[in-house]
Amino acid sequence: MARKRNDPAQRRAREAARRAAAAERIGPRPKHTPRPHKPVSLYDLEPPGAFYREWARPTVPQGMKGVRPIDVVEAHFGPDSGEADTMRTLLQYAEIYGQQIPVDAARHLETLARLSGMAADAAAAQNITEDEAVESLHSLHSQGLLLVDDDGSVWLTVPPGTPYSAPDGGWAFVEKRMEAPQEAVAALDSH
């Protein structure tokens, strides 16, 4: 007995008819709902360099759940202490960077932006305050679009795993945005 040959056109027609009948019975297939994009923090991107070796996380001592870190510091050292100012700064950074903060890089970026005049220039150009301009730079930094290089200069970068990252899938340092002037480096050394 000879084998029946399946005509590809007939097979496609049967499959299309089967799908149409199923769609009539159960309705159209639901559209795939994309999963929400999980935001990636700078810490997760693992930036290279000396400024990204240590990360801080504002926390409270063990056993003091439900208490804000600033309340603990103010109670122990006083509201006008240097420690309280440092904790306020860390909490401001945590709003931008998330729970893991590259304190050395963030402080360097802020100091350099103010000393070099970049923050003032950006504020004047955009009709915003200098503090808002610095916050904008921190926001770019927290997304990995600005990084502090080992020499203290600030670079426009492309994070790994993005379409324009380096060919090996790593960080791409695109353009130097701020040179680290000697005065800025000396001011940082005094902190």
Side-chain angles (χ1 to χ4, degrees):
M1 188 156 149
R3 247 178 85 171
K4 237 173 147 179
R5 291 190 131 196
N6 285 336
D7 182 16
Q10 286 179 340
R11 189 171 61 240
R12 282 192 297 271
R14 281 193 310 268
E15 181 63 22
R18 185 192 66 75
R19 286 186 184 179
E24 252 180 65
R25 272 192 328 272
I26 61 175
R29 292 181 73 179
K31 291 191 179 211
H32 173 69
T33 305
R35 293 180 183 235
H37 178 67
K38 180 185 173 207
V40 177
S41 69
L42 183 61
Y43 180 78
D44 295 332
L45 294 171
E46 299 176 358
F51 282 89
Y52 302 98
R53 288 191 186 128
E54 294 182 25
W55 298 77
R57 181 182 185 144
T59 59
V60 295
Q62 194 170 14
M64 297 187 79
K65 226 173 196 172
V67 179
R68 297 179 329 163
I70 189 67
D71 294 337
V72 173
V73 172
E74 285 179 350
H76 193 270
F77 296 102
D80 296 329
S81 66
E83 288 83 357
D85 288 341
T86 300
M87 182 55 76
R88 283 186 204 95
T89 301
L90 281 175
L91 292 173
Q92 288 172 348
Y93 286 163
E95 289 178 16
I96 299 169
Y97 291 96
Q99 286 300 308
Q100 297 289 343
I101 306 163
V103 178
D104 292 339
R107 288 188 61 143
H108 180 79
L109 174 68
E110 185 165 338
T111 304
L112 192 58
R114 291 184 191 278
L115 289 176
S116 70
M118 182 179 190
D121 293 344
Q126 298 175 30
N127 199 23
I128 57 176
T129 67
E130 190 172 324
D131 289 338
E132 290 171 326
V134 169
E135 188 174 331
S136 177
L137 290 172
H138 280 300
S139 177
L140 292 171
H141 184 221
S142 72
Q143 297 170 49
L145 301 174
L146 287 177
L147 283 187
V148 180
D149 198 7
D150 287 347
D151 67 356
S153 59
V154 177
W155 283 76
L156 181 65
T157 56
V158 179
T162 57
Y164 297 106
S165 61
D168 64 352
W171 286 90
F173 285 72
V174 179
E175 177 184 357
K176 190 180 284 190
R177 299 304 293 178
M178 283 187 275
E179 188 71 50
Q182 293 304 316
E183 305 86 50
V185 173
L188 287 171
D189 290 338
S190 67
H191 285 283

